[in-house]
Amino acid sequence: MRLKRSKNYRKLMQAYQLHFGFREPYQVLLDSSVLEDAARFSIDLVSRLEGVLQGKVKPMITQCCIRHLYNAVPKNDALIHEAKSYERRRCNHHELEQPLSSLECLSSVLGSTNKHRYVVSSDDIEVRSYFRQTPGVPLIYIYKSVMILEPMPTASLEVRDREEKSKFKAGLKGQRSASAGQKRKREDKDSGLEHERIPIEQAGAVAKPEAKKRAKGPKGPNPLSIKKAKQSKAAPSELHDKTSNIKTMEPNRPSSPAADTHGASTLDDGESGKRKRKRKHKPKGEGGTDDRTDQDTAMS
């Protein structure tokens, strides 16, 4: 539980640092009520404050709060000595015969904006309820020997949300320098043309393409899973035309194979003067050996 509480306190102080400009060492304003409770529960006030705020602290006390300790009944000298060891915050109320209350004194020191980034530590309920209305004031109190840092009040949350929204809008619109706008106006005057400037929101809406509407109903089959259509056979007339075209493109050749053989034989006779006979082979089952011997005897 203690680890979870310290983690929450660290996040809370980081939020105060980011949005309200708090930094270490934290200036903690103490009043007489929290000093009396710390002495009653034997609490080391400075070390507890450092543990709650997750950083170094600078305890401070006003002149009116010290006067409250002097006027207390019974009077605690040890507590007065401890309060004098803290840094004195001048409230300029020492000229008054009676000291102001803690609420009046601290409200005059912090003002309406908490300009000096004070952390208020008080066990007075009226003081804490009053400073919840002031944005950017962390509040600490002691409850049953436990020191507690209050969550960020509503006034501080509203300031934080307003600041984040302004940063978000500035990031969308973009920040242009004043010189850039003057230069654009000067160029428009020189050219003599008046251009209508479209806001960035409308320009983005025009440039954005419209999304395609999906057709309702069952989807068609996957084109990759469909078999390709077979090519239809050509008609006989088309085949005839193709063969005729091929014949016309071929060169002139002899009409019969006999003519080829005759021409080849005449050439061979002219070259060698003797016609050569080609030997015809027959299958072995038909007595190929006898025919071969007969042909050899006939040629001899």
Side-chain angles (χ1 to χ4, degrees):
M1 185 67 182
R2 186 177 299 175
L3 182 62
K4 184 177 180 181
R5 190 187 300 124
S6 63
K7 187 176 180 181
N8 293 335
Y9 290 165
R10 188 183 301 111
K11 289 182 178 179
L12 186 57
M13 291 311 299
Q14 287 177 355
Y16 278 113
Q17 290 178 1
L18 182 62
H19 298 285
F20 298 100
F22 281 81
R23 62 185 181 275
E24 295 185 24
Y26 300 113
Q27 301 181 109
V28 183
L29 276 176
L30 306 170
D31 68 347
S32 57
S33 61
V34 74
L35 289 173
E36 291 172 354
D37 288 346
R40 184 157 52 91
F41 293 113
S42 301
I43 294 175
D44 187 0
L45 196 59
V46 177
S47 61
R48 287 288 187 92
L49 288 172
E50 289 179 350
V52 169
L53 297 177
Q54 301 291 315
K56 294 181 179 181
V57 299
K58 184 191 291 185
M60 307 177 74
I61 189 168
T62 61
Q63 295 171 340
C64 292
C65 292
I66 290 181
R67 292 174 69 181
H68 290 163
L69 296 176
Y70 275 105
N71 297 334
V73 178
K75 187 177 180 181
N76 191 344
D77 294 332
L79 187 59
I80 294 171
H81 180 70
E82 181 184 354
K84 285 182 178 180
S85 65
Y86 301 145
E87 184 176 340
R88 190 74 58 87
R89 176 64 172 87
R90 293 183 180 179
C91 57
N92 297 325
H93 301 149
H94 60 280
E95 297 178 356
L96 300 176
E97 293 182 0
Q98 294 295 328
L100 298 179
S101 64
S102 298
L103 177 58
E104 294 174 346
C105 181
L106 294 178
S107 60
S108 66
V109 171
L110 270 72
S112 59
T113 58
N114 193 13
K115 179 181 178 182
H116 300 288
R117 309 294 184 267
Y118 289 118
V119 179
V120 176
S121 178
S122 175
D123 283 353
D124 191 347
I125 298 175
E126 293 182 359
V127 172
R128 295 204 307 272
S129 61
Y130 175 81
F131 284 114
R132 289 191 192 106
Q133 309 301 323
T134 305
V137 180
L139 299 172
I140 298 175
Y141 65 97
I142 296 173
Y143 177 74
K144 292 182 180 179
S145 73
V146 178
M147 188 168 286
I148 298 172
L149 174 64
E150 287 191 1
M152 191 175 289
T154 307
S156 301
L157 290 174
E158 290 176 355
V159 173
R160 185 195 65 179
D161 296 341
R162 197 182 309 119
E163 183 180 355
E164 288 181 353
K165 287 180 181 179
S166 63
K167 288 181 180 179
F168 182 71
K169 290 179 180 179
L172 287 178
K173 294 181 179 180
Q175 296 180 354
R176 293 185 59 190
S177 60
S179 60
Q182 293 176 1
K183 186 176 180 181
R184 177 66 178 270
K185 290 179 181 179
R186 196 182 306 117
E187 290 176 357
D188 293 344
K189 289 179 181 179
D190 295 339
S191 60
L193 299 175
E194 295 181 359
H195 302 283
E196 295 181 357
R197 296 185 181 180
I198 303 174
I200 294 175
E201 293 81 0
Q202 296 181 6
V206 173
K208 187 176 180 181
E210 295 182 358
K212 295 182 179 179
K213 295 182 180 179
R214 298 180 65 181
K216 296 182 179 179
K219 297 181 180 179
N222 189 353
L224 299 176
S225 63
I226 300 174
K227 292 184 178 181
K228 295 182 179 180
K230 295 182 179 180
Q231 295 180 356
S232 59
K233 295 182 179 180
S237 59
E238 294 179 358
L239 293 173
H240 179 70
D241 296 338
K242 291 181 180 179
T243 51
S244 62
N245 293 333
I246 292 169
K247 286 182 179 180
T248 54
M249 292 171 67
E250 291 180 353
N252 295 328
R253 294 183 179 180
S255 59
S256 62
D260 295 340
T261 54
H262 180 68
S265 63
T266 54
L267 289 172
D268 293 338
D269 293 339
E271 292 177 359
S272 61
K274 190 175 181 179
R275 185 176 180 181
K276 295 181 181 180
R277 292 184 180 181
K278 292 184 178 180
R279 186 183 305 173
K280 295 182 180 180
H281 300 281
K282 291 184 179 181
K284 293 181 181 181
E286 297 179 2
T289 55
D290 298 335
D291 295 338
R292 193 179 299 168
T293 53
D294 294 340
Q295 287 179 2
D296 295 338
T297 52
M299 289 181 67
S300 59

